[in-house]
Structure formats: C-alpha cells, structure tokens
Amino acid sequence: MRRITSMDTQKARVLVIAFDGATWDVLRPRMADGRMPNLRALAEAGAAGDLQSVYTPETPSAWSSFMTGKNPGKHGVFDFLVYDPTTKTERPVNARIRAGKTLWDYLGDAGKTCLVLNVPTTYPPGPINGAMISGFLTPDDARDYAYPQELVHELEAEYGRYPLFFETMCYIAVGSRRHARMLLRELERMDRVKLEVAEKLYDRHQPDFAMVHIWGTDRLLHELWNLMDVDHPQHNPCLAAEFQPRIDAYFRQLDEGVGRMVAKAGPSCTTFVISDHGNGPTHYLIDQNSWLLREGFITLKKGVRVWLKKLLWNLGLTPYTAMRVFAPLLRLSVFLKAGAPLKALNRASGTLRIPGMLSLRDVDWTRTRAYAPFGWSGIFVNTKGIRPKGSVEPADYEGIRDRIVARWKELTNPRTGEKIGGPVLTNVEMFQGPYARYGPDVLPLPLAQKYMPVCFFGFASREPVYPNHTVPGNHRMEGILLAAGPGIRNAPVTDASLIDLAPTTLHLLGLPVPQAMDGRVLTELFTDESSARRPVQIAPESEVIEEGEDALSDREQEEIRAKLRGLGYL
C-alpha cells in the first residue's frame, strides 16, 4: 500500500469504513499476527488510536452524533426512543425526527457526491447528491429504504431481500452451538452482500465522500465474546475451539473488504476506519430499577395485587430466576426468526413483563422520584414538565439527582464485597443544547469494571447486582480510529472523539465547519506539508433547528419497538 505525503484538495476524497462496536482488543492481535493484513497496512502507513464515543454510547445516539458533529443535547437522540414533550410519548428514532443537518447534507449543498450505505438511523433516506441505503431501524416491509428509489429494485433483483437486519434471535440462546452457527452464517452472508454492493456503487458514483457501515461486528462481539475470552464466566472451551476458525474467517472477510474499498478509492483518498463505541466482557448486570426500589426512589402502588407480587418478588420469584429455570427451553428460540427492529420498539422496556411478576406497571408514578425507562439509557429523575408522568418539583431536582449519585457510588457486589466503581455522570456533565434536559439525569458507566446497568423487565432481580447469563459482551466508551492517506501522519492518535469526524471530513474536502458543531478538526493527524494544515474555516450556523414530521407510521413505530425488544435494547 503506497503512502502519499502531499494532498491536492481538488482531487481529495474521503472514505469512512465503520465497524459498529469494534475494539482494538479484538482487532490488534489479528493485525499483529497477519490475520488482518489490510488494516495492518493502513495502521503502518497512518495514524491509529482510541475514538471516544458519546453519552450514551449506544447506536442511535452515537451515529447521530457522528453525522451531525454534535452532542445529543443538540440533535435530541439519546437512545432508541425519542421523547416528544408535546404529546408526552416516545417515538422510535428515525432520520426525520433527529434535529440538525448531517455531514452529507453539508457536502451535497457544496456539490460533493456522497455514497452513504447502511448507516443506522438514516431511514427514510432523503434526497442525496449520490446514493444512500438506510440501515438499522428501517421498517421490516419498507420499500423506500434506498435513494434513488430504483436502487431498491436493482438490489432485490440481484440479491433478493437486502439484509437490513438480522433474523437470528439474540441473547436468549447464547451458549448454543446452533445459535453460534446460525449467527456466523448470517453475519458472513450479510456483510459479503453489503461490501459487494458498496464496491459496485463506488465504481458507479466515484463519490467525493463514501461511508460503509458494517453492523455485524457489534452483534458478534455482543453475543460471542465469551468464545474469544478464556477469562469470561461463560467461556466454553469446546465451543471456542469449534468456532474460533469461523470467527477468524469473518474478520478476514472484513479485512479483505477494507483492502478492496481502499484500492477502489485510490491514492488521493483519505480513509478512516472507525467504530461508534467499543466492546468488552460483561460479567454482571445491574438492575437499575431494583436498586432504585431498594433505595426508596421508586414507590409501588398500594393494593393487594401489588402487595402479593412484591411478596413473591422478595421470596425470589423474579424474571431472573424464571429465566435461569427455563433456560433450556429458551434455547429452543434459536429455531425462531427475529423480526425487523421496528417490531421490538413497540413498548418501552419495563412494560416487558412476566404475568404475576412485579413490573413497572405496578409503580405509583405520583410518588416515584426516579426510574430507569428502558434498555441501557441511564436513570431519569421523574421531573414535572420533562418526564411523561413527572411528580418531582423542579426545585427538588438537584437534591434527588445528587442523592442518587452518592448512593450509587456506595453500591457493592454482594458476591465479592467490592464497590462497583466506574464513573457516574450527570446530565449537565454530558449534554449541552436545547434537548439536553430530555437526556438521562444520571448515567452510571461501570463498563470497564465488567458491569452493565440495565432495565429489561422493570424489576428483573431481587438483588440489583447479579451474574450475567445473556449478553457476554457489551459497549465501552473507547472505539477505534484508524486514518491513512495523503498527508496523514504515521503516529498514535490521542484525544479524538466520534463527533470530530464530521468537521474533519468537511475540512479535508475544503469546506468550512459549521459553528454549531461540537467536534473539532483533528489537525494533529496532518503532516506539516499537507494542505490540510491550512487554517480551519468556521461558518455561522444556528443551533436550533426544528424537527421534521415523523417519518414512521404508528404501525412502523410499533414494529420497531418489538424488534428492539427482541434484540435486548428495550
């Protein structure tokens, strides 16, 4: 791979290859021993290091921040559901309810040709100067998932149903030989198709900016981390020995795709290989609502029915114990197909419940001061005027928030006696902008300590901290950044953030950076002789941009909710 030391902005191109959830912990050993030679060549010719994600480090918020160059407080996407204060309802995220212009909007306005493929939260794809295929969170039966529209017919004529989402069930069949086999087979086929389509469309459009997103890396690291990690409590040596060659082959397929895309882009192109967050082992789960109930921040309804549910819960009749007892039967779900992501977003987590067991439907919201709404989205103070069933006066907000932080910092693992540890962040530390107040008020992040704070069933376990038997791997704040091309230094990368990629790309392509962007141009990537060392131009831009009309029908919103629940996100 030839290294170029100068840069001509008249011919400059940018290629972004996005491996969702990728981590150096998995990639670097494969690069070092020659199993991923193309990534290794890029690293040896350019710059590499960690890429800091955003809060929360989840797919919708992270990619929305990447494409806007802004923190979630400015674009309004904090997780899989976006709160609408006018209707006091939550809607599945989509391209039209995210506030602000995207990187490819700015590039298209300047006459640049763009190719944007498979990026989450880009449905429905709007007009673009080039071509777009939407990604994760596209409705199951959508017939408008690509732009221009005729591209849909072209894709399906050649490949059949384009792989917008996975059909292999998630998490509850973890540890099953059949599950691993089915997942890897689907990963291989999905990413082979996506990379092949990317190459063909690149040849056709010869874009100034191209982005190819691969979701399979995140899914593999979530579900098969235990097969790659001998220290994981769920490590199975027999399954690991059987499937490690297949896992290596999957990463080799991705590496070969990188090599082909870089070759097509040519020597004047700057290539970025990135991830929206990292991944790592998860040994314990922390049920946030069970903890909030124990600490007195959640109050249950009065009445015999709720009293009886609470009694049984105290005696150990919980969703966690039920799942442990029925685990062998749950493995049969591997024979079922997962629906489209839309089907899982229908109800927020916490409404997911087992009949007769305690759930968030048993909460007295008039006396509840804080709760965890769904998935991995943190803790919300139940503030009047901000939360759907708010009961806390704004004057009491900071006191309750600070008590939650203080008590969480004392939380210990009953099996080890050690404090959970990790940062505990507050809303004002994480977000700025017109939508900041709708984000989580407290976000515990004991991820590096191998804990995962969650809300799956409302009150999953009597003991808030319990062993993880469902999600072997989970997100980390540290993603990957690899940059190579004309005028890129061969040096380590430090202090880079996901929101820096949009302004850096605009600058590389000779355009000014909008003032409202929170990210910065990563000028330290450029050699002294590179023309990219020119001063960064700033363009004025209002930070308040009205949301568009919701792109999803009620049925499509219901479909996405159901799918996300099936994926474990809600």
Side-chain angles (χ1 to χ4, degrees):
M1 188 172 294
R2 185 165 65 95
R3 185 180 178 201
I4 299 174
T5 58
S6 61
M7 183 178 184
D8 181 355
T9 57
Q10 298 303 312
K11 299 179 180 179
R13 291 181 175 181
V14 172
L15 169 65
V16 176
I17 300 174
F19 291 149
D20 202 293
T23 171
W24 288 123
D25 292 341
V26 171
L27 298 184
R28 275 198 170 122
R30 290 171 165 79
M31 294 162 61
D33 63 16
R35 285 178 288 171
M36 301 189 80
N38 291 295
L39 279 186
R40 177 174 177 171
L42 287 173
E44 290 176 346
D50 290 342
L51 187 65
Q52 198 73 6
S53 188
V54 300
Y55 305 112
T56 58
E58 297 292 340
T59 293
S61 52
W63 289 120
S64 295
S65 293
F66 162 84
M67 65 184 73
T68 61
K70 299 175 182 178
N71 84 90
K74 290 182 180 178
H75 57 66
V77 178
F78 299 92
D79 212 291
F80 290 91
L81 301 175
V82 176
Y83 180 62
D84 182 350
T86 58
T87 62
K88 294 188 177 181
T89 59
E90 292 169 322
R91 301 174 290 170
V93 63
N94 64 73
R96 290 184 185 166
I97 63 174
R98 178 187 57 244
K101 296 176 68 174
T102 64
L103 170 60
W104 33 92
D105 290 332
Y106 293 112
L107 293 173
D109 290 345
K112 304 291 185 182
T113 304
C114 298
L115 182 63
V116 181
L117 304 178
N118 319 311
V119 180
T121 74
T122 55
Y123 178 85
I128 186 174
N129 186 22
M132 177 183 287
I133 302 174
S134 61
F136 185 45
L137 300 182
T138 298
D140 187 9
D141 58 353
R143 305 297 302 147
D144 57 349
Y145 61 81
Y147 181 90
Q149 177 64 37
E150 55 266 25
L151 182 55
V152 172
H153 308 297
E154 180 183 343
L155 291 169
E156 294 182 353
E158 185 164 359
Y159 298 101
R161 184 173 182 173
Y162 187 78
L164 290 164
F165 53 86
F166 289 94
E167 295 184 348
T168 305
M169 293 290 285
C170 299
Y171 304 140
I172 56 177
V174 165
S176 157
R177 175 176 281 101
R178 183 177 177 87
H179 171 265
R181 187 182 300 118
M182 291 175 62
L183 176 61
L184 285 165
R185 184 189 304 129
E186 188 171 18
L187 286 170
E188 292 159 359
R189 192 261 172 183
M190 172 182 278
D191 294 345
R192 182 172 61 251
V193 169
K194 287 182 174 180
L195 289 167
E196 186 176 311
V197 168
E199 293 170 43
K200 290 179 179 180
L201 292 178
Y202 198 98
D203 285 339
R204 178 183 303 174
H205 291 277
Q206 292 296 303
D208 300 294
F209 170 82
M211 179 173 182
V212 184
H213 176 275
I214 299 295
W215 186 31
T217 42
D218 185 65
R219 181 74 185 271
L220 184 148
L221 296 173
H222 271 305
E223 299 199 44
L224 301 182
W225 187 280
N226 56 314
L227 300 187
M228 299 182 287
D229 181 357
V230 297
D231 296 321
H232 199 285
Q234 296 181 64
H235 183 69
N236 184 319
C238 293
L239 287 183
E242 179 178 348
F243 287 105
Q244 192 60 59
R246 192 84 173 266
I247 292 171
D248 287 342
Y250 171 74
F251 282 105
R252 185 164 57 249
Q253 173 181 300
L254 296 183
D255 185 73
E256 291 168 353
V258 169
R260 293 192 301 272
M261 288 300 299
V262 171
K264 285 185 178 296
S268 66
C269 182
T270 300
T271 297
F272 295 104
V273 181
I274 66 170
S275 65
D276 54 332
H277 51 73
N279 262 293
T282 300
H283 293 183
Y284 291 93
L285 303 181
I286 307 175
D287 190 283
Q288 296 174 110
N289 283 323
S290 294
W291 178 80
L292 289 166
L293 178 64
R294 187 179 73 180
E295 296 294 326
F297 294 102
I298 289 178
T299 300
L300 299 177
K301 294 175 181 176
K302 297 179 179 179
V304 175
R305 178 179 294 182
V306 175
W307 178 86
L308 182 58
K309 285 184 181 181
K310 179 62 162 51
L311 175 63
L312 294 174
W313 188 79
N314 286 334
L315 293 173
L317 185 60
T318 67
Y320 171 68
T321 55
M323 291 187 72
R324 297 295 296 146
V325 169
F326 293 106
L329 291 177
L330 291 174
R331 287 174 183 251
L332 295 176
S333 67
V334 75
F335 293 98
L336 304 176
K337 280 188 176 182
L342 264 257
K343 288 180 178 171
L345 259 182
N346 189 17
R347 298 180 296 254
S349 179
T351 61
L352 179 63
R353 69 194 194 283
I354 298 174
M357 292 190 183
L358 203 61
S359 75
L360 286 191
R361 294 192 180 186
D362 301 312
V363 168
D364 181 349
W365 295 104
T366 64
R367 298 186 296 149
T368 287
R369 294 178 291 173
Y371 64 100
F374 52 80
W376 312 328
S377 58
I379 296 172
F380 289 14
V381 175
N382 195 27
T383 311
K384 287 182 178 178
I386 298 177
R387 305 305 175 196
K389 300 174 183 178
S391 62
V392 172
E393 295 294 340
D396 298 327
Y397 167 82
E398 290 189 8
I400 292 173
R401 180 202 64 194
D402 292 346
R403 285 198 297 277
I404 293 170
V405 171
R407 293 188 190 182
W408 185 279
K409 289 182 177 180
E410 298 301 315
L411 178 60
T412 61
N413 184 329
R415 288 165 176 80
T416 66
E418 297 176 345
K419 287 187 178 181
I420 301 302
V424 185
L425 301 166
T426 62
N427 184 288
V428 294
E429 296 174 287
M430 297 183 286
F431 311 119
Q432 305 82 42
Y435 305 99
R437 61 180 180 162
Y438 301 118
D441 296 300
V442 179
L443 184 65
L445 284 174
L447 305 178
Q449 289 73 30
K450 304 177 184 177
Y451 292 90
M452 177 180 171
V454 296
C455 170
F456 288 149
F457 287 92
F459 304 97
S461 171
R462 181 182 58 182
E463 171 52 56
V465 182
Y466 58 98
N468 169 33
H469 297 286
T470 54
V471 192
N474 190 43
H475 299 178
R476 299 290 189 270
M477 285 298 297
E478 299 79 19
I480 68 165
L481 171 61
L482 195 162
I488 298 295
R489 290 184 184 276
N490 181 214
V493 176
T494 59
D495 196 31
S497 173
L498 188 63
I499 59 174
D500 297 333
L501 269 295
T504 300
T505 297
L506 291 172
H507 181 71
L508 281 167
L509 295 177
L511 300 179
V513 176
Q515 189 175 26
M517 283 190 174
D518 296 308
R520 65 182 181 88
V521 176
L522 296 171
T523 54
E524 65 270 27
L525 295 179
F526 311 136
T527 60
D528 292 338
E529 63 270 24
S530 169
S531 61
R533 297 291 289 186
R534 66 189 180 279
V536 176
Q537 294 179 291
I538 303 297
E541 182 195 43
S542 170
E543 293 189 3
V544 180
I545 301 174
E546 293 185 2
E547 296 181 13
E549 183 181 351
D550 199 332
L552 303 181
S553 66
D554 291 343
R555 180 186 59 78
E556 289 174 331
Q557 292 186 46
E558 185 170 332
E559 181 186 325
I560 284 189
R561 291 174 185 266
K563 178 63 177 180
L564 285 177
R565 175 168 293 112
L567 291 172
Y569 291 117
L570 295 184

